[in-house]
Amino acid sequence: MFDDDRDPLRHFRDEFVLPDDGVYLAGNSLGALPKAAVGRVGQAVEQEWGRELVGGWNSAGWYEQPLTVGDRIAPLIGAPPGSVVAGNTTSIAIYQAVSAALRLRPGRRVIVVDRANFPTDNYMVQGLGELRDIGEGRFDDAAAVLLSEVDYRTGERRDVRETTARAQEAGALMVWDVCHSVGALRVDVSAADFAVGCTYKYVNAGPGAPAFLYVNPRHHATAENVLSGWHGHAEPFAFEPGYRPANGIRRFAVSTPHVLSFAALEAALDIWERVDLDQVRAKSMALTSLFVDLVGDRLELASPRDPQRRGSQVSFRHPHGYPVMRALIERGVHGDFRAPDILRFGFAPLYTRFADVREAAGRLADVLDRELWRDPRYAARLAVT
Amino acid sequence: MFDDDRDPLRHFRDEFVLPDDGVYLAGNSLGALPKAAVGRVGQAVEQEWGRELVGGWNSAGWYEQPLTVGDRIAPLIGAPPGSVVAGNTTSIAIYQAVSAALRLRPGRRVIVVDRANFPTDNYMVQGLGELRDIGEGRFDDAAAVLLSEVDYRTGERRDVRETTARAQEAGALMVWDVCHSVGALRVDVSAADFAVGCTYKYVNAGPGAPAFLYVNPRHHATAENVLSGWHGHAEPFAFEPGYRPANGIRRFAVSTPHVLSFAALEAALDIWERVDLDQVRAKSMALTSLFVDLVGDRLELASPRDPQRRGSQVSFRHPHGYPVMRALIERGVHGDFRAPDILRFGFAPLYTRFADVREAAGRLADVLDRELWRDPRYAARLAVT
């Protein structure tokens, strides 16, 4: 424990591009570049697009990418083959999932959400029904319950099994957002009705990488895709005048996949095929626990102290959190800040070492103990924080 | 005329990767690779993602890409700065545009479409209102009129100015799909209410490149984005619990842009900054007219004979169109086939030579005159045609 030499995942670090100096603890926001993605994206551009041209839709498998890549994401979230479609963005997948849930529960229009959900989740569905905060505790007239497995601010992890059962017992459909858990722990949304997630965080598929949508197979014949585009049609190349949904998960495809972004995702998934998710979770809990211990009482912990109740992220509160993070980033430790007062540190188990945790904690202690964050140049906000 | 040495656009051909042998006439489906895109995408992967990591949202301009790239697309469609947002797919942009139109015309629920629209246009909006074919001729109770400037099958071009005026005089909002015209002629949708289009055809931005959405500035304060994601929020990084739309075109942004796909689009747009669209249109009409003349009465012309009424595409009908096209592709001429009987040939003016037109017409004549398409191996359908 806490020993890099005994870490069974240690060799994966060599497969990523990481800063020569400093510690990257923002993999919960944007995962690091897998070295193999350079060649894979280059191949998609130069060979597939450049040489195959329009033939790439067949020969390079572009047309099937949303399903073939979806099948490769499925093991990361406990889903069976043929139940995940990749593409678009998490926000759009949420819109599809909750719209479908409302149509499957025509007598209900309440959507239970958490005010602490990542905001876009709630923004996307606000026009679809009546939003109710989970704090009110009532599911019995809800069409859908939309929650994040891991809270983006505090890193707190919900009990997927218990919450899914509770929603379904009340007759609601359960929709999980696993953006902050996929690739960080052993996600299992198989019992849920829908799940959505992104691949640019712990999955390491690059900025704006395709999102994914899981639909429980029991809904494949009845759930409707409100974004009824041609790629979800039973015969897209028949160019029929009316929409006729495909069978299975394909009906949740919408339109032309972003092929170059898919190429990077494919390279990222090549790594995941060789990863044991139980080792990921064990290392994640050890990394975050070590950081919590080393920071000690210098900062107020915003994350659960029990590692079982955390994702792969540790958050602290500080009234001057923004300049603290800027001062720390200038010293090579890359976490991020979330308003109003949260310092976030993500620990991607595939490329973060225990030595990195010690180094980061040491530099953070320096910034805090010597009050380096009081330098006025750290006060000015950047456009995107 | 018909002389490559006198073509003012001839030097652009050197900026694209094209087949060593054969003629690529499917740029109306997927444009050729700009050589500069190889380096630009590589830079996005290796430098921006690999080195800047999460800092790329600021330092590499990722966050603003939907608007900065939108502003670079605007001149191609006659739109003013600040009126175009890039991202997602054409299907999704259609859903946003028509949803917004229906909310701007609350007393109306008819959407006038053309049965000859590219099918996804009609599929996407079928759940939003009552579809009526333009053949019925009534606009007076319509909320929106959704039409393609250039028909994907026949290449027929509609009169944008006349149709827009007619729709608006009837109190309807005009939504143009310019997928088959942007980059092929001087598009001007500035008087329309909305316009959508893709960038992977004549714009040459690669498979699954970002789409775009134009919203007439007169609607910026009142039009609603049904896909109300966090990137359309007035302050996305304030993480407010409720959605509050941004001012201007930004409110039509949805969520995280597909950064790697945007990189290729940026390289494609670098070329367009140096292109005179009037020269593009003049050459396009000359290319297509030459092909029509050379094919002569070997095939039934499905496109208008008047080049002013065509896009940059020529279509023919043949009862055995599928094996004819396969036989032709095997001889190095890459057009495509659309059910039931359409042979399509796209002429991208930036990289197609008059010599290519002559070569393609010669090989097509050979396939037809010698009935080479009767070889049984051309009968079997490929998955994507």
Side-chain angles (χ1 to χ4, degrees), chain A residues 258-340:
Chain A
H258 295 92
V259 169
L260 303 186
S261 291
F262 265 90
L265 173 52
E266 289 179 330
L269 291 168
D270 288 344
I271 295 176
W272 286 101
E273 289 196 350
R274 293 176 275 119
V275 171
D276 178 335
L277 289 173
D278 292 326
Q279 291 179 348
V280 166
R281 179 60 173 156
K283 182 177 175 186
S284 162
M285 290 194 292
L287 290 166
T288 55
S289 296
L290 177 60
F291 194 63
V292 169
D293 287 350
L294 292 172
V295 174
D297 56 8
R298 280 187 184 83
L299 286 171
E300 178 194 348
L301 185 63
S303 302
R305 200 163 288 277
D306 175 1
Q308 298 282 0
R309 293 188 50 231
R310 281 197 303 259
S312 204
Q313 162 190 339
V314 176
S315 300
F316 298 100
R317 288 204 169 79
H318 189 287
H320 299 283
Y322 186 79
V324 168
M325 185 53 77
R326 294 243 358 232
L328 189 60
I329 289 173
E330 197 169 286
R331 282 152 187 86
V333 178
H334 293 266
D336 69 10
F337 171 78
R338 285 290 174 258

Side-chain angles (χ1 to χ4, degrees), chain A residues 3 22-23 63 103 105 121 168 211 220 261 266 293 335 348:
Chain A
D3 181 347
V23 181
Y63 181 70
R103 287 165 185 226
R105 292 290 179 272
D121 296 42
Q168 291 173 344
H220 285 188
S261 291
E266 289 179 330
D293 287 350

Side-chain angles (χ1 to χ4, degrees), chain A residues 11-68:
Chain A
H11 52 283
F12 284 109
R13 181 177 168 89
D14 297 335
E15 301 191 35
F16 292 89
V17 177
L18 289 162
D20 298 328
D21 182 38
V23 181
Y24 188 64
L25 298 180
N28 57 322
S29 184
L30 178 68
L33 168 63
K35 290 174 182 169
V38 177
R40 179 65 190 90
V41 176
Q43 179 198 8
V45 174
E46 294 189 73
Q47 296 305 313
E48 297 179 6
W49 175 15
R51 301 293 167 189
E52 308 281 316
L53 283 156
V54 73
W57 287 106
N58 283 307
S59 61
W62 298 338
Y63 181 70
E64 293 293 333
Q65 268 176 338
L67 302 190
T68 55

Side-chain angles (χ1 to χ4, degrees), chain B residues 75-120:
Chain B
L76 297 179
I77 61 169
S83 67
V84 177
V85 60
N88 303 314
T89 69
T90 310
S91 295
I92 289 168
I94 287 168
Y95 187 83
Q96 293 177 280
V98 174
S99 295
L102 283 156
R103 287 165 186 227
L104 288 168
R105 291 290 180 272
R108 300 181 174 202
R109 61 182 307 277
V110 169
I111 306 162
V112 172
V113 300
D114 187 342
R115 281 176 62 92
N117 277 352
F118 188 79
T120 205

Side-chain angles (χ1 to χ4, degrees), chain A residues 24 31 49 54 58 88-89 95 120 123-124 200 206-208 226 228-230 237 239-240 255-259 338 384, chain B residues 24 31 49 54 58 88-89 91 95 120 123-124 200 206-208 228-230 237 239-240 255-259 261 338 384:
Chain A
Y24 188 64
W49 175 15
V54 73
N58 283 307
N88 303 313
T89 69
Y95 187 83
T120 205
Y123 299 165
M124 286 302 295
Y200 50 74
V226 66
S228 45
W230 66 308
F237 291 91
F239 298 100
E240 296 176 2
S255 44
T256 310
H258 295 92
V259 169
R338 285 290 174 258
V384 179
Chain B
Y24 188 64
W49 175 15
V54 73
N58 283 308
N88 303 314
T89 69
S91 295
Y95 187 83
T120 205
Y123 298 164
M124 286 302 295
Y200 50 75
S228 46
W230 66 309
F237 291 91
F239 297 100
E240 296 176 2
S255 44
T256 310
H258 296 92
V259 169
S261 291
R338 286 292 175 257
V384 180

Side-chain angles (χ1 to χ4, degrees), chain A residues 213-257:
Chain A
L213 169 63
Y214 161 70
V215 182
N216 191 306
R218 69 173 167 265
H219 299 306
H220 285 188
T222 49
E224 291 178 38
N225 181 5
V226 66
L227 299 179
S228 45
W230 66 308
H231 283 230
H233 193 281
E235 291 187 68
F237 291 91
F239 298 100
E240 296 176 2
Y243 182 74
R244 190 161 54 87
N247 290 323
I249 190 68
R250 189 188 292 276
R251 71 168 57 179
F252 282 90
V254 181
S255 44
T256 310

